[in-house]
Coordinates of all heavy atoms in Angstrom, one line a residue:
A73 N -1.5 28.4 7.5 CA -1.2 27.1 6.8 C 0.3 27.1 6.6 O 1.0 26.1 6.7 CB -1.9 26.9 5.5
V74 N 0.9 28.3 6.0 CA 2.3 28.3 5.8 C 3.1 28.3 7.2 O 4.1 27.6 7.4 CB 2.7 29.6 5.0 CG1 4.1 29.8 5.0 CG2 2.1 29.5 3.6
C75 N 2.6 29.0 8.2 CA 3.2 29.1 9.5 C 3.3 27.8 10.1 O 4.1 27.5 11.0 CB 2.6 30.1 10.4 SG 3.0 31.8 9.8
A76 N 2.2 26.9 9.9 CA 2.2 25.7 10.6 C 3.4 24.8 10.1 O 3.6 23.9 11.0 CB 0.9 25.0 10.3
W77 N 3.9 25.0 9.1 CA 5.1 24.2 8.6 C 6.4 24.8 8.9 O 7.5 24.2 8.6 CB 4.9 23.8 7.1 CG 3.7 23.0 6.9 CD1 2.5 23.4 6.5 CD2 3.7 21.6 6.9 NE1 1.6 22.3 6.5 CE2 2.3 21.3 6.7 CE3 4.6 20.6 7.3 CZ2 1.9 19.9 6.8 CZ3 4.2 19.2 7.3 CH2 2.9 18.9 7.0
I78 N 6.5 26.0 9.5 CA 7.7 26.6 9.8 C 7.9 26.3 11.2 O 7.1 26.7 12.1 CB 7.6 28.2 9.7 CG1 7.4 28.5 8.1 CG2 8.9 28.8 10.1 CD1 7.2 29.8 7.8
R79 N 9.0 25.6 11.6 CA 9.2 25.0 12.9 C 9.1 26.1 14.0 O 8.5 25.9 15.1 CB 10.6 24.3 12.9 CG 10.8 23.7 14.2 CD 12.0 22.8 14.2 NE 11.8 21.5 13.5 CZ 11.4 20.5 13.8 NH1 11.1 20.3 15.2 NH2 11.2 19.4 13.1
V80 N 9.7 27.3 13.7 CA 9.6 28.3 14.8 C 8.3 28.9 15.1 O 8.0 29.0 16.3 CB 10.6 29.5 14.3 CG1 10.6 30.7 15.4 CG2 12.0 29.1 14.1
L81 N 7.4 28.9 14.2 CA 6.1 29.5 14.3 C 5.1 28.4 14.8 O 4.1 28.7 15.3 CB 5.7 30.2 13.1 CG 6.5 31.4 12.7 CD1 6.1 32.0 11.5 CD2 6.4 32.5 13.8
A82 N 5.4 27.1 14.4 CA 4.5 26.1 14.6 C 4.2 25.8 16.0 O 3.2 25.3 16.4 CB 4.9 24.8 13.9
N83 N 5.2 26.2 16.9 CA 5.1 25.9 18.2 C 4.4 27.0 19.0 O 4.3 27.0 20.2 CB 6.5 25.8 18.9 CG 7.3 24.6 18.4 OD1 6.6 23.7 18.0 ND2 8.6 24.6 18.2
K84 N 3.7 27.9 18.3 CA 3.0 29.0 18.9 C 1.5 28.5 19.0 O 0.6 29.1 18.4 CB 3.1 30.3 18.2 CG 4.5 30.8 17.9 CD 5.2 31.1 19.2 CE 6.7 31.6 18.9 NZ 7.6 31.4 19.9
A85 N 1.2 27.6 19.9 CA -0.1 27.0 20.0 C -1.1 28.0 20.5 O -2.3 28.0 19.9 CB -0.1 25.7 20.9
W86 N -0.7 28.8 21.4 CA -1.7 29.8 21.9 C -2.1 30.8 20.8 O -3.2 31.3 20.8 CB -1.1 30.5 23.2 CG -1.3 29.7 24.4 CD1 -0.4 29.0 25.0 CD2 -2.5 29.7 25.2 NE1 -0.9 28.4 26.1 CE2 -2.2 28.8 26.2 CE3 -3.8 30.1 25.0 CZ2 -3.2 28.4 27.1 CZ3 -4.9 29.8 25.9 CH2 -4.4 29.0 27.0

Side-chain angles (χ1 to χ4, degrees):
V74 170
C75 289
W77 293 93
I78 298 173
R79 184 170 291 269
V80 174
L81 297 173
N83 295 331
K84 307 296 183 203
W86 277 101

